PDB file of all heavy atoms in Angstrom:
ATOM      1  N   LEU A   1       0.830  -1.196   0.000  1.00 93.00           N
ATOM      2  CA  LEU A   1       0.000   0.000   0.000  1.00 93.00           C
ATOM      3  C   LEU A   1       0.869   1.252   0.000  1.00 93.00           C
ATOM      4  O   LEU A   1       0.594   2.211  -0.738  1.00 93.00           O
ATOM      5  CB  LEU A   1      -0.928  -0.009   1.208  1.00 93.00           C
ATOM      6  CG  LEU A   1      -1.794   1.239   1.418  1.00 93.00           C
ATOM      7  CD1 LEU A   1      -2.656   1.524   0.195  1.00 93.00           C
ATOM      8  CD2 LEU A   1      -2.662   1.080   2.664  1.00 93.00           C
ATOM      9  N   ASP A   2       1.931   1.252   0.805  1.00 92.00           N
ATOM     10  CA  ASP A   2       2.827   2.408   0.850  1.00 92.00           C
ATOM     11  C   ASP A   2       3.406   2.699  -0.527  1.00 92.00           C
ATOM     12  O   ASP A   2       3.483   3.856  -0.953  1.00 92.00           O
ATOM     13  CB  ASP A   2       3.967   2.156   1.842  1.00 92.00           C
ATOM     14  CG  ASP A   2       3.469   1.965   3.266  1.00 92.00           C
ATOM     15  OD1 ASP A   2       2.335   2.379   3.554  1.00 92.00           O
ATOM     16  OD2 ASP A   2       4.217   1.394   4.076  1.00 92.00           O
ATOM     17  N   GLU A   3       3.821   1.652  -1.212  1.00 91.00           N
ATOM     18  CA  GLU A   3       4.418   1.813  -2.539  1.00 91.00           C
ATOM     19  C   GLU A   3       3.406   2.375  -3.532  1.00 91.00           C
ATOM     20  O   GLU A   3       3.727   3.235  -4.355  1.00 91.00           O
ATOM     21  CB  GLU A   3       4.959   0.474  -3.022  1.00 91.00           C
ATOM     22  CG  GLU A   3       5.691   0.534  -4.353  1.00 91.00           C
ATOM     23  CD  GLU A   3       6.269  -0.812  -4.755  1.00 91.00           C
ATOM     24  OE1 GLU A   3       6.278  -1.743  -3.921  1.00 91.00           O
ATOM     25  OE2 GLU A   3       6.719  -0.931  -5.917  1.00 91.00           O
ATOM     26  N   ALA A   4       2.174   1.887  -3.449  1.00 92.00           N
ATOM     27  CA  ALA A   4       1.140   2.364  -4.367  1.00 92.00           C
ATOM     28  C   ALA A   4       0.806   3.833  -4.108  1.00 92.00           C
ATOM     29  O   ALA A   4       0.629   4.614  -5.046  1.00 92.00           O
ATOM     30  CB  ALA A   4      -0.109   1.500  -4.235  1.00 92.00           C
ATOM     31  N   ILE A   5       0.709   4.209  -2.833  1.00 93.00           N
ATOM     32  CA  ILE A   5       0.436   5.613  -2.500  1.00 93.00           C
ATOM     33  C   ILE A   5       1.556   6.507  -3.018  1.00 93.00           C
ATOM     34  O   ILE A   5       1.313   7.572  -3.589  1.00 93.00           O
ATOM     35  CB  ILE A   5       0.261   5.783  -0.977  1.00 93.00           C
ATOM     36  CG1 ILE A   5      -1.041   5.113  -0.510  1.00 93.00           C
ATOM     37  CG2 ILE A   5       0.256   7.262  -0.581  1.00 93.00           C
ATOM     38  CD1 ILE A   5      -1.198   5.056   0.993  1.00 93.00           C
ATOM     39  N   ALA A   6       2.801   6.071  -2.843  1.00 89.00           N
ATOM     40  CA  ALA A   6       3.939   6.846  -3.328  1.00 89.00           C
ATOM     41  C   ALA A   6       3.896   7.006  -4.845  1.00 89.00           C
ATOM     42  O   ALA A   6       4.342   8.017  -5.390  1.00 89.00           O
ATOM     43  CB  ALA A   6       5.248   6.188  -2.901  1.00 89.00           C
ATOM     44  N   GLY A   7       3.330   6.005  -5.529  1.00 88.00           N
ATOM     45  CA  GLY A   7       3.288   6.045  -6.983  1.00 88.00           C
ATOM     46  C   GLY A   7       2.225   6.965  -7.552  1.00 88.00           C
ATOM     47  O   GLY A   7       2.433   7.576  -8.607  1.00 88.00           O
ATOM     48  N   VAL A   8       1.089   7.084  -6.874  1.00 90.00           N
ATOM     49  CA  VAL A   8      -0.019   7.855  -7.453  1.00 90.00           C
ATOM     50  C   VAL A   8      -0.327   9.146  -6.705  1.00 90.00           C
ATOM     51  O   VAL A   8      -1.068   9.994  -7.205  1.00 90.00           O
ATOM     52  CB  VAL A   8      -1.307   7.004  -7.525  1.00 90.00           C
ATOM     53  CG1 VAL A   8      -1.057   5.713  -8.274  1.00 90.00           C
ATOM     54  CG2 VAL A   8      -1.860   6.717  -6.133  1.00 90.00           C
ATOM     55  N   GLY A   9       0.240   9.317  -5.508  1.00 90.00           N
ATOM     56  CA  GLY A   9      -0.114  10.461  -4.689  1.00 90.00           C
ATOM     57  C   GLY A   9       0.677  11.718  -5.002  1.00 90.00           C
ATOM     58  O   GLY A   9       1.704  11.689  -5.677  1.00 90.00           O
ATOM     59  N   HIS A  10       0.151  12.835  -4.502  1.00 89.00           N
ATOM     60  CA  HIS A  10       0.806  14.136  -4.589  1.00 89.00           C
ATOM     61  C   HIS A  10       1.176  14.589  -3.180  1.00 89.00           C
ATOM     62  O   HIS A  10       0.544  14.196  -2.197  1.00 89.00           O
ATOM     63  CB  HIS A  10      -0.129  15.198  -5.180  1.00 89.00           C
ATOM     64  CG  HIS A  10      -0.555  14.928  -6.584  1.00 89.00           C
ATOM     65  ND1 HIS A  10       0.091  15.466  -7.670  1.00 89.00           N
ATOM     66  CD2 HIS A  10      -1.575  14.177  -7.079  1.00 89.00           C
ATOM     67  CE1 HIS A  10      -0.501  15.063  -8.786  1.00 89.00           C
ATOM     68  NE2 HIS A  10      -1.518  14.280  -8.447  1.00 89.00           N
ATOM     69  N   ILE A  11       2.206  15.445  -3.084  1.00 88.00           N
ATOM     70  CA  ILE A  11       2.516  16.082  -1.811  1.00 88.00           C
ATOM     71  C   ILE A  11       1.342  16.997  -1.452  1.00 88.00           C
ATOM     72  O   ILE A  11       0.950  17.856  -2.249  1.00 88.00           O
ATOM     73  CB  ILE A  11       3.813  16.898  -1.900  1.00 88.00           C
ATOM     74  CG1 ILE A  11       5.009  15.968  -2.088  1.00 88.00           C
ATOM     75  CG2 ILE A  11       3.986  17.767  -0.663  1.00 88.00           C
ATOM     76  CD1 ILE A  11       5.275  15.059  -0.909  1.00 88.00           C
ATOM     77  N   PRO A  12       0.746  16.813  -0.277  1.00 87.00           N
ATOM     78  CA  PRO A  12      -0.434  17.614   0.101  1.00 87.00           C
ATOM     79  C   PRO A  12      -0.040  18.984   0.621  1.00 87.00           C
ATOM     80  O   PRO A  12       0.056  19.212   1.824  1.00 87.00           O
ATOM     81  CB  PRO A  12      -1.083  16.762   1.201  1.00 87.00           C
ATOM     82  CG  PRO A  12       0.071  16.031   1.821  1.00 87.00           C
ATOM     83  CD  PRO A  12       1.087  15.797   0.737  1.00 87.00           C
ATOM     84  N   LEU A  13       0.198  19.909  -0.297  1.00 87.00           N
ATOM     85  CA  LEU A  13       0.570  21.253   0.114  1.00 87.00           C
ATOM     86  C   LEU A  13      -0.541  21.883   0.959  1.00 87.00           C
ATOM     87  O   LEU A  13      -1.727  21.602   0.750  1.00 87.00           O
ATOM     88  CB  LEU A  13       0.842  22.125  -1.106  1.00 87.00           C
ATOM     89  CG  LEU A  13       2.110  21.819  -1.910  1.00 87.00           C
ATOM     90  CD1 LEU A  13       2.185  22.740  -3.120  1.00 87.00           C
ATOM     91  CD2 LEU A  13       3.358  21.953  -1.054  1.00 87.00           C
ATOM     92  N   PRO A  14      -0.170  22.740   1.905  1.00 87.00           N
ATOM     93  CA  PRO A  14      -1.189  23.433   2.697  1.00 87.00           C
ATOM     94  C   PRO A  14      -2.155  24.188   1.799  1.00 87.00           C
ATOM     95  O   PRO A  14      -1.774  24.657   0.714  1.00 87.00           O
ATOM     96  CB  PRO A  14      -0.365  24.383   3.562  1.00 87.00           C
ATOM     97  CG  PRO A  14       0.991  23.769   3.625  1.00 87.00           C
ATOM     98  CD  PRO A  14       1.198  23.106   2.309  1.00 87.00           C
ATOM     99  N   PRO A  15      -3.406  24.348   2.227  1.00 85.00           N
ATOM    100  CA  PRO A  15      -4.414  25.005   1.385  1.00 85.00           C
ATOM    101  C   PRO A  15      -4.023  26.396   0.923  1.00 85.00           C
ATOM    102  O   PRO A  15      -4.350  26.794  -0.200  1.00 85.00           O
ATOM    103  CB  PRO A  15      -5.651  25.052   2.304  1.00 85.00           C
ATOM    104  CG  PRO A  15      -5.433  23.974   3.303  1.00 85.00           C
ATOM    105  CD  PRO A  15      -3.961  23.867   3.500  1.00 85.00           C
ATOM    106  N   TYR A  16      -3.311  27.150   1.769  1.00 89.00           N
ATOM    107  CA  TYR A  16      -2.965  28.518   1.402  1.00 89.00           C
ATOM    108  C   TYR A  16      -1.875  28.570   0.328  1.00 89.00           C
ATOM    109  O   TYR A  16      -1.648  29.620  -0.257  1.00 89.00           O
ATOM    110  CB  TYR A  16      -2.536  29.321   2.636  1.00 89.00           C
ATOM    111  CG  TYR A  16      -1.632  28.569   3.592  1.00 89.00           C
ATOM    112  CD1 TYR A  16      -0.277  28.408   3.322  1.00 89.00           C
ATOM    113  CD2 TYR A  16      -2.142  28.007   4.748  1.00 89.00           C
ATOM    114  CE1 TYR A  16       0.544  27.706   4.180  1.00 89.00           C
ATOM    115  CE2 TYR A  16      -1.328  27.307   5.619  1.00 89.00           C
ATOM    116  CZ  TYR A  16       0.015  27.165   5.331  1.00 89.00           C
ATOM    117  OH  TYR A  16       0.820  26.466   6.184  1.00 89.00           O
ATOM    118  N   ILE A  17      -1.196  27.450   0.071  1.00 91.00           N
ATOM    119  CA  ILE A  17      -0.273  27.361  -1.058  1.00 91.00           C
ATOM    120  C   ILE A  17      -0.959  26.690  -2.235  1.00 91.00           C
ATOM    121  O   ILE A  17      -0.888  27.158  -3.374  1.00 91.00           O
ATOM    122  CB  ILE A  17       1.007  26.595  -0.675  1.00 91.00           C
ATOM    123  CG1 ILE A  17       1.772  27.345   0.412  1.00 91.00           C
ATOM    124  CG2 ILE A  17       1.899  26.387  -1.904  1.00 91.00           C
ATOM    125  CD1 ILE A  17       3.024  26.627   0.904  1.00 91.00           C
ATOM    126  N   ALA A  18      -1.659  25.586  -1.966  1.00 88.00           N
ATOM    127  CA  ALA A  18      -2.315  24.825  -3.032  1.00 88.00           C
ATOM    128  C   ALA A  18      -3.346  25.652  -3.781  1.00 88.00           C
ATOM    129  O   ALA A  18      -3.606  25.406  -4.966  1.00 88.00           O
ATOM    130  CB  ALA A  18      -2.963  23.573  -2.451  1.00 88.00           C
ATOM    131  N   SER A  19      -3.948  26.649  -3.115  1.00 88.00           N
ATOM    132  CA  SER A  19      -4.939  27.491  -3.789  1.00 88.00           C
ATOM    133  C   SER A  19      -4.308  28.462  -4.773  1.00 88.00           C
ATOM    134  O   SER A  19      -5.000  29.060  -5.594  1.00 88.00           O
ATOM    135  CB  SER A  19      -5.756  28.270  -2.754  1.00 88.00           C
ATOM    136  OG  SER A  19      -4.932  29.178  -2.036  1.00 88.00           O
ATOM    137  N   LYS A  20      -2.975  28.606  -4.689  1.00 90.00           N
ATOM    138  CA  LYS A  20      -2.280  29.575  -5.535  1.00 90.00           C
ATOM    139  C   LYS A  20      -1.401  28.929  -6.608  1.00 90.00           C
ATOM    140  O   LYS A  20      -1.039  29.576  -7.585  1.00 90.00           O
ATOM    141  CB  LYS A  20      -1.448  30.516  -4.670  1.00 90.00           C
ATOM    142  CG  LYS A  20      -2.292  31.402  -3.756  1.00 90.00           C
ATOM    143  CD  LYS A  20      -1.410  32.284  -2.898  1.00 90.00           C
ATOM    144  CE  LYS A  20      -2.248  33.285  -2.097  1.00 90.00           C
ATOM    145  NZ  LYS A  20      -3.214  32.617  -1.204  1.00 90.00           N
ATOM    146  N   ARG A  21      -1.027  27.665  -6.410  1.00 91.00           N
ATOM    147  CA  ARG A  21      -0.213  26.981  -7.410  1.00 91.00           C
ATOM    148  C   ARG A  21      -0.304  25.479  -7.194  1.00 91.00           C
ATOM    149  O   ARG A  21      -0.642  25.001  -6.099  1.00 91.00           O
ATOM    150  CB  ARG A  21       1.242  27.429  -7.353  1.00 91.00           C
ATOM    151  CG  ARG A  21       1.988  27.027  -6.071  1.00 91.00           C
ATOM    152  CD  ARG A  21       3.466  27.310  -6.206  1.00 91.00           C
ATOM    153  NE  ARG A  21       4.235  26.951  -5.007  1.00 91.00           N
ATOM    154  CZ  ARG A  21       4.676  25.727  -4.736  1.00 91.00           C
ATOM    155  NH1 ARG A  21       4.412  24.719  -5.562  1.00 91.00           N
ATOM    156  NH2 ARG A  21       5.367  25.504  -3.642  1.00 91.00           N
ATOM    157  N   ASP A  22       0.016  24.699  -8.241  1.00 87.00           N
ATOM    158  CA  ASP A  22       0.055  23.248  -8.129  1.00 87.00           C
ATOM    159  C   ASP A  22       1.367  22.805  -7.489  1.00 87.00           C
ATOM    160  O   ASP A  22       2.376  23.512  -7.547  1.00 87.00           O
ATOM    161  CB  ASP A  22      -0.074  22.602  -9.508  1.00 87.00           C
ATOM    162  CG  ASP A  22      -1.450  22.821 -10.124  1.00 87.00           C
ATOM    163  OD1 ASP A  22      -2.422  22.988  -9.347  1.00 87.00           O
ATOM    164  OD2 ASP A  22      -1.550  22.835 -11.368  1.00 87.00           O
ATOM    165  N   ASP A  23       1.347  21.616  -6.883  1.00 87.00           N
ATOM    166  CA  ASP A  23       2.594  21.066  -6.375  1.00 87.00           C
ATOM    167  C   ASP A  23       3.472  20.632  -7.548  1.00 87.00           C
ATOM    168  O   ASP A  23       2.979  20.383  -8.651  1.00 87.00           O
ATOM    169  CB  ASP A  23       2.322  19.876  -5.451  1.00 87.00           C
ATOM    170  CG  ASP A  23       1.741  18.681  -6.186  1.00 87.00           C
ATOM    171  OD1 ASP A  23       0.597  18.798  -6.668  1.00 87.00           O
ATOM    172  OD2 ASP A  23       2.432  17.652  -6.305  1.00 87.00           O
ATOM    173  N   ASP A  24       4.764  20.574  -7.334  1.00 89.00           N
ATOM    174  CA  ASP A  24       5.689  20.160  -8.379  1.00 89.00           C
ATOM    175  C   ASP A  24       6.813  19.346  -7.758  1.00 89.00           C
ATOM    176  O   ASP A  24       6.828  19.076  -6.552  1.00 89.00           O
ATOM    177  CB  ASP A  24       6.222  21.356  -9.167  1.00 89.00           C
ATOM    178  CG  ASP A  24       6.869  22.413  -8.280  1.00 89.00           C
ATOM    179  OD1 ASP A  24       7.427  22.048  -7.224  1.00 89.00           O
ATOM    180  OD2 ASP A  24       6.823  23.602  -8.630  1.00 89.00           O
TER     181      ASP A  24
END
């Protein structure tokens, strides 16, 4: 499960950053 999450997930940036730009 850990490996699968690492493969498809994104870094969950805080809302005050995520609302202004996508993670990279």
Side-chain angles (χ1 to χ4, degrees):
L1 175 57
D2 298 340
E3 184 177 349
I5 291 172
V8 305
H10 297 265
I11 292 295
L13 290 177
Y16 42 78
I17 297 177
S19 64
K20 295 178 174 60
R21 67 171 180 83
D22 293 333
D23 67 293
D24 55 30

